[in-house]
Amino acid sequence: MTSAKELTAQGESVRGAPLPYGRQSIDDDDIAAVVEVLRSDWLTTGPKVAEFEHAFAAFVGAREAVAVSSGTAALHTALAALGIRPGDEVIVPAMTFAATANAVLLQGGTPVFADVAPDTLLLDPDAAAKKITPRTRAILPVDYAGQPCDYAALRSLADAHGLALVADACHSLGAADRGRKVGTLARLTAFSFHPVKHIATGEGGMVTTDEPQLAAAMRRFRNHGIDTDHRQRAARGTWYYEVVELGYNYRLSDIHCALGLSQLRKLPGWIERRRAIARRYDAALPQTGCAPLGVRSDTFHSYHLYVVRLAEGGTRSDRDAMFAALRAEGIGVNVHYSPVHLHPFYRQRLGTGPGMCPVAEAAADRILSLPMFPGMSDQDVSDVVRAVRKVTAAHLRIAAS
Ligand SMILES: *Cc1c(COP(=O)(O)O)cnc(C)c1O
């Protein structure tokens, strides 16, 4: 076990200006698109919303896309459209961001945590199968780091038990499983446009589906449970509307949608850049004390994150020391994630705790996310590799002494 202090006292740091782990790319076209909306008649519920939805649906190959105000709103809206309610259980992986589980709780349902596969940290279909009870209504896998789950296995599991399959694809826009694009692999798929994700709208999200009645339910849910929106009424020359169920204001404004549209045009190039950065990390890492996560065969990984794992025997304090040392080198590493079921809220609310998902718990102590965003230069990538080499070499030297 080494301390951060030992690792950080290693001479001049690799970088002067710190490199973040993720960052949006905004250019003059994006800015012009937003300004154009600001000068127009519609700041929200205007034409940019449908335009963004159509472009997004076309990109992933889904029939419908429904824009909402965040990835969390997308998950909540998807579960609401399925009618998840108190008493219902939804299986979620332990290794994810809290919003995956929160969306279930927001509908009054119960998230049931299942363990992940040790190599990929993706929801393990066998572990999910063991969590099915008569109350289970849906399985909500997460394409952790940008790699699609085993959707063939998850779909047959869901079908065999009459469950809905909902994908949390907040990490995996542009990814594919056996040639089928994320966004078409589950009944409903949720995306996020937070600035660290593949495209940025500030805050924003989307749900895709091939079922028009689910899309219609989601359009009501994001708009107070009202059966028409402002623009539809303006077009029909009527003021009259009906609230037909309880909903939220989860709308995404035209300002956000214009930015999303402009970003979407650049997405294919950005995904290629993310994959090129991943290839460089893949090539350099075997010479260090950390290894990349496993990649399933026949998938197209879109690398929201590049996650590495300390070698076998590495402890949580080794990881924390490496984290601090890399930060001191100007490399903005991060940890994704602390398993959700170990946070105080879920322990109190659901009675979860250590030992429930041992694979996720053990992995969480040894993982680090390296910087990964399309705006990284080759020099930035080299800096990360150099810093990881420097810190792991120091770690090995100290461990051996
Ligand atoms: C980012 C993220 C979310 C939530 O998205 P927001 O847009 O931040 O609300 C949900 N699930 C996962 C796995 C995420 O990474």
Side-chain angles (χ1 to χ4, degrees):
M1 196 163 71
T2 50
S3 70
K5 209 155 157 242
E6 288 172 293
L7 294 184
T8 45
Q10 301 291 329
E12 208 181 315
S13 68
V14 167
R15 283 181 72 96
L19 183 68
Y21 89 88
R23 191 186 198 287
Q24 71 278 11
S25 298
I26 300 287
D27 65 13
D28 288 346
D29 288 347
D30 295 319
I31 294 166
V34 169
V35 169
E36 188 194 314
V37 171
L38 291 173
R39 296 189 197 284
S40 79
D41 291 337
W42 296 93
L43 295 189
T44 192
T45 70
K48 290 295 172 194
V49 181
E51 226 183 292
F52 184 35
E53 290 177 340
H54 288 144
F56 195 91
F59 179 83
V60 303
R63 212 163 139 186
E64 299 271 0
V66 178
V68 291
S69 54
S70 69
T72 307
L75 290 164
H76 185 193
T77 299
L79 295 178
L82 290 174
I84 298 300
R85 55 195 202 89
D88 293 343
E89 294 178 356
V90 177
I91 296 170
V92 300
M95 181 55 77
T96 184
F97 182 55
T100 317
N102 290 352
V104 181
L105 287 163
L106 288 170
Q107 275 303 103
T110 305
V112 174
F113 297 98
D115 215 343
V116 293
D119 52 342
T120 59
L121 307 188
L122 296 172
L123 178 63
D124 176 357
D126 293 330
K130 292 200 184 91
K131 298 289 179 178
I132 294 173
T133 75
R135 291 168 178 270
T136 310
R137 291 281 316 280
I139 307 175
L140 177 44
V142 175
D143 297 336
Y144 178 78
Q147 166 167 221
C149 295
D150 185 350
Y151 280 97
L154 290 168
R155 248 195 321 272
S156 50
L157 180 65
D159 289 348
H161 292 85
L163 311 175
L165 186 61
V166 183
D168 180 340
C170 290
H171 291 188
S172 59
L173 176 57
D177 183 33
R178 291 163 202 138
R180 277 181 67 178
K181 263 184 153 174
V182 166
T184 64
L185 295 160
R187 236 182 125 186
L188 293 147
T189 305
F191 297 90
S192 165
F193 309 136
H194 180 277
V196 297
K197 304 287 168 66
H198 287 88
I199 60 171
T201 61
E203 301 285 356
M206 192 77 80
V207 190
T208 58
T209 183
D210 282 337
E211 297 175 51
Q213 72 284 10
L214 286 179
M218 293 192 289
R219 291 197 168 95
R220 287 193 299 274
F221 188 76
R222 74 172 172 192
N223 189 33
H224 312 282
I226 293 172
D227 57 352
T228 53
D229 72 24
H230 190 80
R231 193 152 164 268
Q232 287 167 330
R233 289 193 294 281
R236 286 181 206 161
T238 178
W239 59 270
Y240 186 75
Y241 63 83
E242 286 180 322
V243 175
V244 293
E245 63 208 16
L246 183 63
Y248 287 72
N249 179 353
Y250 275 167
R251 294 184 307 253
L252 191 63
S253 80
D254 283 57
I255 304 167
H256 296 88
C257 289
L259 182 52
L261 265 167
S262 176
Q263 292 260 300
L264 195 58
R265 281 181 214 119
K266 289 164 279 196
L267 177 60
W270 287 341
I271 291 170
E272 278 318 310
R273 180 64 188 151
R274 285 177 181 273
R275 289 169 57 82
I277 294 167
R279 282 193 295 272
R280 292 197 47 190
Y281 282 155
D282 286 343
L285 282 169
Q287 301 142 52
T288 71
C290 357
L293 294 183
V295 178
R296 298 179 47 241
S297 63
D298 209 8
T299 60
F300 186 88
H301 195 317
S302 64
Y303 287 101
H304 161 51
L305 300 174
Y306 191 93
V307 178
V308 299
R309 181 158 32 192
L310 267 62
E312 202 69 47
T315 64
R316 185 185 182 107
S317 49
D318 291 333
R319 192 274 314 281
D320 291 345
M322 260 191 77
F323 173 91
L326 286 165
R327 282 279 176 101
E329 298 291 349
I331 307 299
V333 285
N334 223 318
V335 176
H336 300 94
Y337 298 92
S338 216
V340 181
H341 67 288
L342 299 184
H343 285 282
F345 170 69
Y346 308 95
R347 292 192 193 211
Q348 282 159 26
R349 176 85 165 249
L350 303 167
T352 56
M356 289 182 67
C357 296
V359 177
E361 291 165 27
D365 286 344
R366 284 169 46 211
I367 50 177
L368 273 177
S369 303
L370 302 184
M372 170 58 85
F373 56 96
M376 284 176 78
S377 67
D378 288 348
Q379 185 58 51
D380 293 334
V381 180
S382 301
D383 287 348
V384 175
V385 168
R386 202 149 55 87
V388 171
R389 283 200 183 126
K390 181 177 169 185
V391 167
T392 51
H395 179 257
L396 292 175
R397 223 169 24 246
I398 293 161
S401 65

